[in-house]
Amino acid sequence: MNKEQIVKELNFKAIRSSGAGGQHVNKTSSKIELTFDLENSFALSDKEKELLKEKLASKLTKENQLILFCEETRSQHKNKELAIKRFVRLLKTNLIKPKKRRPTKPSRSSILKNVEKNKRNSLKKALRKKPRID
């Protein structure tokens, strides 16, 4: 994954933001909409694309586009920087392949310890009961 190449493939759109800003908020478009076309990206390999499609399925549109919004600050430039940072962090965390689990079985000694512990607990609880008179 080449960060500079991916950033070049991003599309930005400025939208009017809600929130603080007074009358000025009605005149400026400080909210940023970041879109990334996962299907047509040249910066990612086919394996990376498949992995991202799998992990980001809930965040992708039907056309496999990832859309992020940022309206934290009143500055369009800061919102753009924040959106890029979030996007890169999202890609990095989702491109990590989980380690394959190797199935193991408990050792003989641990099995014996568990059996012994269960017998002790069983005896302890049995001694709490009132004796049966037959």
Short mmCIF file of all heavy atoms in Angstrom, two decimals, residues 5 11 50 52 56 58 65 67 72-74 80 82 85 91 93-94 102 106 108 110 132-133:
data_model
loop_
_atom_site.label_atom_id
_atom_site.label_comp_id
_atom_site.label_asym_id
_atom_site.label_seq_id
_atom_site.Cartn_x
_atom_site.Cartn_y
_atom_site.Cartn_z
N GLN A 5 0.20 7.44 -3.33
CA GLN A 5 -0.56 7.06 -4.51
C GLN A 5 -2.05 6.95 -4.18
O GLN A 5 -2.89 7.35 -4.98
CB GLN A 5 -0.03 5.72 -5.04
CG GLN A 5 -0.34 5.46 -6.48
CD GLN A 5 0.34 4.20 -6.98
OE1 GLN A 5 0.78 3.38 -6.18
NE2 GLN A 5 0.41 4.05 -8.28
N ASN A 11 -11.22 11.47 -3.83
CA ASN A 11 -12.02 12.59 -4.33
C ASN A 11 -12.62 13.33 -3.14
O ASN A 11 -13.12 12.70 -2.21
CB ASN A 11 -13.15 12.08 -5.23
CG ASN A 11 -12.63 11.46 -6.50
OD1 ASN A 11 -11.72 11.99 -7.12
ND2 ASN A 11 -13.18 10.32 -6.87
N GLU A 50 -9.69 -7.36 -2.14
CA GLU A 50 -10.61 -8.39 -1.64
C GLU A 50 -10.71 -8.35 -0.12
O GLU A 50 -11.79 -8.47 0.44
CB GLU A 50 -10.16 -9.77 -2.10
CG GLU A 50 -10.34 -10.03 -3.59
CD GLU A 50 -11.78 -9.86 -4.05
OE1 GLU A 50 -12.69 -10.35 -3.36
OE2 GLU A 50 -11.99 -9.22 -5.10
N LEU A 52 -10.16 -5.78 1.86
CA LEU A 52 -10.90 -4.58 2.26
C LEU A 52 -12.40 -4.72 1.98
O LEU A 52 -13.21 -4.26 2.77
CB LEU A 52 -10.34 -3.35 1.55
CG LEU A 52 -8.98 -2.86 2.06
CD1 LEU A 52 -8.45 -1.76 1.17
CD2 LEU A 52 -9.06 -2.38 3.49
N LEU A 56 -14.63 -4.19 5.15
CA LEU A 56 -15.36 -2.92 5.14
C LEU A 56 -16.71 -3.02 4.45
O LEU A 56 -17.25 -2.02 3.99
CB LEU A 56 -14.52 -1.83 4.45
CG LEU A 56 -13.19 -1.46 5.08
CD1 LEU A 56 -12.44 -0.49 4.21
CD2 LEU A 56 -13.39 -0.88 6.46
N SER A 58 -19.71 -3.24 5.39
CA SER A 58 -20.80 -2.41 5.91
C SER A 58 -20.59 -0.92 5.59
O SER A 58 -21.54 -0.15 5.62
CB SER A 58 -20.93 -2.58 7.42
OG SER A 58 -19.75 -2.14 8.05
N GLN A 65 -17.58 1.91 -3.21
CA GLN A 65 -16.96 3.19 -2.89
C GLN A 65 -17.05 3.41 -1.39
O GLN A 65 -18.09 3.17 -0.78
CB GLN A 65 -17.64 4.33 -3.63
CG GLN A 65 -17.35 4.33 -5.11
CD GLN A 65 -17.62 5.69 -5.72
OE1 GLN A 65 -18.31 6.53 -5.14
NE2 GLN A 65 -17.08 5.90 -6.90
N ILE A 67 -17.05 6.07 1.59
CA ILE A 67 -17.36 7.49 1.78
C ILE A 67 -17.16 7.85 3.25
O ILE A 67 -17.72 7.19 4.14
CB ILE A 67 -18.81 7.82 1.36
CG1 ILE A 67 -19.01 7.46 -0.12
CG2 ILE A 67 -19.13 9.28 1.59
CD1 ILE A 67 -20.44 7.58 -0.59
N GLU A 72 -15.45 18.30 11.86
CA GLU A 72 -15.07 18.59 13.24
C GLU A 72 -14.66 20.03 13.47
O GLU A 72 -14.91 20.59 14.53
CB GLU A 72 -13.93 17.66 13.66
CG GLU A 72 -14.38 16.23 13.83
CD GLU A 72 -13.24 15.29 14.17
OE1 GLU A 72 -12.22 15.75 14.69
OE2 GLU A 72 -13.39 14.09 13.88
N THR A 73 -13.99 20.64 12.48
CA THR A 73 -13.52 22.01 12.66
C THR A 73 -14.26 22.94 11.69
O THR A 73 -14.96 22.48 10.79
CB THR A 73 -12.00 22.12 12.40
OG1 THR A 73 -11.75 21.83 11.02
CG2 THR A 73 -11.23 21.15 13.27
N ARG A 74 -14.04 24.22 11.85
CA ARG A 74 -14.65 25.20 10.95
C ARG A 74 -13.82 25.38 9.69
O ARG A 74 -14.25 26.03 8.75
CB ARG A 74 -14.80 26.55 11.66
CG ARG A 74 -15.79 26.52 12.79
CD ARG A 74 -15.92 27.91 13.37
NE ARG A 74 -16.66 27.89 14.62
CZ ARG A 74 -16.92 28.97 15.32
NH1 ARG A 74 -16.50 30.15 14.91
NH2 ARG A 74 -17.60 28.88 16.44
N LYS A 80 -10.15 18.37 5.82
CA LYS A 80 -9.60 17.54 4.76
C LYS A 80 -8.44 16.70 5.30
O LYS A 80 -8.36 15.50 5.04
CB LYS A 80 -9.13 18.42 3.61
CG LYS A 80 -8.76 17.68 2.36
CD LYS A 80 -8.45 18.66 1.24
CE LYS A 80 -8.08 17.93 -0.02
NZ LYS A 80 -7.81 18.87 -1.14
N LEU A 82 -7.92 15.83 8.45
CA LEU A 82 -8.48 14.85 9.38
C LEU A 82 -9.12 13.68 8.64
O LEU A 82 -8.96 12.52 9.04
CB LEU A 82 -9.51 15.51 10.30
CG LEU A 82 -8.97 16.42 11.38
CD1 LEU A 82 -10.11 17.18 12.05
CD2 LEU A 82 -8.20 15.64 12.42
N LYS A 85 -6.34 11.44 7.33
CA LYS A 85 -5.75 10.65 8.42
C LYS A 85 -6.66 9.50 8.81
O LYS A 85 -6.20 8.37 9.02
CB LYS A 85 -5.48 11.54 9.64
CG LYS A 85 -4.27 12.42 9.50
CD LYS A 85 -4.07 13.27 10.73
CE LYS A 85 -2.94 14.26 10.53
NZ LYS A 85 -2.79 15.15 11.67
N LEU A 91 -7.60 2.11 6.48
CA LEU A 91 -6.99 1.14 5.57
C LEU A 91 -5.94 0.30 6.28
O LEU A 91 -5.91 -0.92 6.13
CB LEU A 91 -6.35 1.85 4.38
CG LEU A 91 -7.25 2.37 3.29
CD1 LEU A 91 -6.43 2.80 2.08
CD2 LEU A 91 -8.28 1.36 2.85
N THR A 93 -5.56 -0.47 9.47
CA THR A 93 -6.10 -1.43 10.44
C THR A 93 -6.83 -2.58 9.76
O THR A 93 -6.81 -3.70 10.26
CB THR A 93 -7.07 -0.75 11.44
OG1 THR A 93 -8.09 -0.08 10.71
CG2 THR A 93 -6.35 0.21 12.34
N ASN A 94 -7.44 -2.31 8.60
CA ASN A 94 -8.20 -3.36 7.94
C ASN A 94 -7.38 -4.19 6.95
O ASN A 94 -7.86 -5.18 6.44
CB ASN A 94 -9.42 -2.78 7.24
CG ASN A 94 -10.49 -2.41 8.23
OD1 ASN A 94 -11.01 -3.26 8.94
ND2 ASN A 94 -10.78 -1.13 8.34
N ARG A 102 -3.91 -22.07 15.36
CA ARG A 102 -3.45 -23.46 15.36
C ARG A 102 -4.17 -24.19 16.46
O ARG A 102 -4.02 -23.86 17.64
CB ARG A 102 -1.94 -23.52 15.62
CG ARG A 102 -1.12 -23.00 14.48
CD ARG A 102 0.32 -23.37 14.70
NE ARG A 102 1.16 -22.52 13.87
CZ ARG A 102 2.19 -21.84 14.31
NH1 ARG A 102 2.53 -21.90 15.58
NH2 ARG A 102 2.89 -21.10 13.50
N PRO A 106 -5.31 -29.67 25.42
CA PRO A 106 -4.70 -29.49 26.73
C PRO A 106 -3.73 -30.63 27.06
O PRO A 106 -3.94 -31.78 26.63
CB PRO A 106 -5.89 -29.46 27.69
CG PRO A 106 -7.03 -30.01 26.94
CD PRO A 106 -6.75 -29.84 25.50
N ARG A 108 -1.70 -33.48 29.30
CA ARG A 108 -2.23 -34.53 30.18
C ARG A 108 -2.25 -34.05 31.63
O ARG A 108 -3.22 -34.29 32.36
CB ARG A 108 -1.35 -35.78 30.04
CG ARG A 108 -1.87 -36.96 30.82
CD ARG A 108 -0.92 -38.15 30.68
NE ARG A 108 -1.34 -39.21 31.57
CZ ARG A 108 -1.89 -40.33 31.17
NH1 ARG A 108 -2.09 -40.53 29.88
NH2 ARG A 108 -2.25 -41.25 32.03
N SER A 110 -2.56 -30.99 32.78
CA SER A 110 -3.62 -30.00 33.02
C SER A 110 -4.99 -30.69 33.11
O SER A 110 -5.85 -30.28 33.88
CB SER A 110 -3.63 -28.92 31.95
OG SER A 110 -4.02 -29.44 30.71
N ARG A 132 -28.42 -37.73 54.62
CA ARG A 132 -29.69 -38.40 54.31
C ARG A 132 -29.92 -39.55 55.31
O ARG A 132 -29.00 -40.29 55.61
CB ARG A 132 -29.66 -38.97 52.89
CG ARG A 132 -29.94 -37.92 51.86
CD ARG A 132 -29.97 -38.46 50.45
NE ARG A 132 -30.38 -39.85 50.33
CZ ARG A 132 -30.27 -40.56 49.25
NH1 ARG A 132 -29.73 -40.02 48.16
NH2 ARG A 132 -30.66 -41.82 49.17
N ILE A 133 -31.13 -39.65 55.80
CA ILE A 133 -31.47 -40.74 56.72
C ILE A 133 -32.43 -41.67 55.98
O ILE A 133 -33.55 -41.30 55.65
CB ILE A 133 -32.12 -40.19 58.02
CG1 ILE A 133 -31.17 -39.22 58.70
CG2 ILE A 133 -32.46 -41.35 58.96
CD1 ILE A 133 -31.77 -38.48 59.84
#
